[in-house]
């Protein structure tokens, strides 16, 4: 069982890295994924819990513990609650992964959660109230600015894959991280409510080309785009500063264009 646990943990982490930084990702899409990818980070955390439980618990208990942990993760728990068959599908994928660990490609739980993210989380964030989307970015900037002065490696981690161990931040950092997660949930809920209510569609979200043009209008340079495509190679200080600048771009635009870019960034990161 110990070998299975190690395989699952390594596969989940590798799958998350592939999901974020795969070579087949276009430059524009890689740009948008370069900032905090909280959901993917949460999935890796769930995988770690799942693997550790495999060392000490029986199969049924291991799956139960993994499900309990998944329900506490940012946005993941909301999707599990909102989508009728999501919990059953996740439980089945965990059981299948435990019995027959994936040796090629992303593990089953990560594939499922990526599917749910694409089908439910992204559309909800793209339909969120613009002010709520801007709130997500503002909360992220507040956390990054704090980390820039207190824990630059954690700021770099946030810019790359999302903070994996929030409990290691100082008290103010932990509070700012909770604020960020609360803002994400608020944006998700406002988007879901708008979609479920059949309300008037919000202003169109820019496509990739339009978003890049807006980022340029907001002050990003060709050098910045090159750095964003190679974010993992930057120093902690450079990655942190660039993450702050990226999330601040909607504030540099007129209101009629800021909201669309904010929803695009909130949904794509």
């Amino acid at each position: 069982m110990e070998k299975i646990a190690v395989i699952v943990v390594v596969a989940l982490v590798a799958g998350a890295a592939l999901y974020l930084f795969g070579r087949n990702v276009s430059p524009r899409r890689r740009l948008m994924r370069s900032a905090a990818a909280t959901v993917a980070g949460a999935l890796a955390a769930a995988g770690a819990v799942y693997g550790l439980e495999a060392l000490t618990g029986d199969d049924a208990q291991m799956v139960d513990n993994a499900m309990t942990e998944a329900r506490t993760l940012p946005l993941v728990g909301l999707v599990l609650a909102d989508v009728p068959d999501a919990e059953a599908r996740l439980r089945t994928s965990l059981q299948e992964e435990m019995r027959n660990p994936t040796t090629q490609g992303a593990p089953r739980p990560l594939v499922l959660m990526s599917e749910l993210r694409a089908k439910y989380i992204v559309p909800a964030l793209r339909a969120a109230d613009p002010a709520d989307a801007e709130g997500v970015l503002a909360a992220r900037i507040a956390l990054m600015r704090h980390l820039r002065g207190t824990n630059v490696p954690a700021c770099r981690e946030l810019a790359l894959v999302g903070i994996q161990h929030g409990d290691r931040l100082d008290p103010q950092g932990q509070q700012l991280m909770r604020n960020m997660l609360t803002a994400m949930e608020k944006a998700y809920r406002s988007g879901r409510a708008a979609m479920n209510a059949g309300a008037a569609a919000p202003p169109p979200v820019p496509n990739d080309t339009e978003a890049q043009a807006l980022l340029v209008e907001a002050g990003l340079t060709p050098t910045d785009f090159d750095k964003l495509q190679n974010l993992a190679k930057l120093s902690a200080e450079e990655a942190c500063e660039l993450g702050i600048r990226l999330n601040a771009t909607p504030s540099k635009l007129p209101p009629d264009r800021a909201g669309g870019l904010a929803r695009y960034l909130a949904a794509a990161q």
Side-chain angles (χ1 to χ4, degrees):
M1 188 63 101
E2 182 174 356
K3 292 181 180 179
I4 292 177
V6 173
I7 290 172
V8 170
V9 172
V10 172
L12 278 169
V13 174
L18 177 62
Y19 176 70
L20 288 170
F21 304 112
R23 292 183 179 180
N24 60 338
V25 177
S26 68
R28 293 193 187 97
R29 193 63 69 182
R30 188 176 299 153
L31 163 67
M32 293 303 108
R33 291 178 181 173
S34 60
T38 306
V39 175
L43 292 172
V49 171
Y50 164 45
L52 291 175
E53 288 296 334
L55 301 178
T56 57
D58 60 30
D59 293 355
Q61 187 62 51
M62 178 178 64
V63 173
D64 288 343
N65 289 344
M67 291 298 302
T68 298
E69 183 67 18
R71 284 189 286 268
T72 70
L73 298 174
L75 296 186
V76 175
L78 294 180
V79 173
L80 293 179
D82 287 347
V83 180
D85 64 342
E87 283 206 29
R89 292 178 64 193
L90 181 56
R91 180 178 292 275
T92 298
S93 71
L94 287 166
Q95 292 169 337
E96 292 176 350
E97 190 67 30
M98 177 190 65
R99 294 166 184 160
N100 184 24
T102 301
T103 58
Q104 294 184 343
R108 296 173 185 84
L110 182 60
V111 171
L112 173 60
M113 292 311 300
S114 296
E115 174 192 329
L116 293 174
R117 177 186 185 277
K119 189 173 181 179
Y120 298 100
I121 294 177
V122 170
L125 292 177
R126 290 172 71 90
D129 182 270
D132 290 336
E134 291 172 9
V136 171
L137 305 185
R140 190 175 293 146
I141 290 171
L143 175 56
M144 284 184 155
R145 284 177 174 165
H146 173 74
L147 295 176
R148 180 176 59 184
T150 61
N151 191 338
V152 179
C155 186
R156 179 179 185 273
E157 183 180 55
L158 176 57
L160 283 171
V161 296
I163 293 177
Q164 304 297 300
H165 300 286
D167 58 318
R168 297 179 184 175
L169 301 180
D170 65 10
Q172 185 177 353
Q174 292 185 35
Q175 181 59 57
L176 289 169
M177 186 169 179
R178 287 193 292 270
N179 293 348
M180 182 183 71
L181 300 180
T182 298
M184 291 175 62
E185 292 188 1
K186 183 180 180 184
Y188 170 83
R189 289 186 184 281
S190 74
R192 287 285 291 178
M195 294 167 64
N196 292 338
V205 176
N207 60 32
D208 290 346
T209 300
E210 293 167 341
Q212 187 167 1
L214 289 172
L215 291 171
V216 171
E217 182 181 346
L220 292 195
T221 67
T223 299
D224 292 327
F225 284 93
D226 289 340
K227 288 182 177 180
L228 283 166
Q229 291 182 36
N230 296 280
L231 196 61
K233 298 179 181 179
L234 300 182
S235 68
E237 291 79 6
E238 286 181 304
C240 183
E241 189 63 36
L242 202 53
I244 292 172
R245 289 187 59 205
L246 176 64
N247 284 282
T249 50
S251 67
K252 310 295 183 183
L253 299 174
D256 62 330
R257 297 198 292 280
L261 182 59
R263 288 186 284 118
Y264 180 89
L265 289 172
Q269 294 173 358

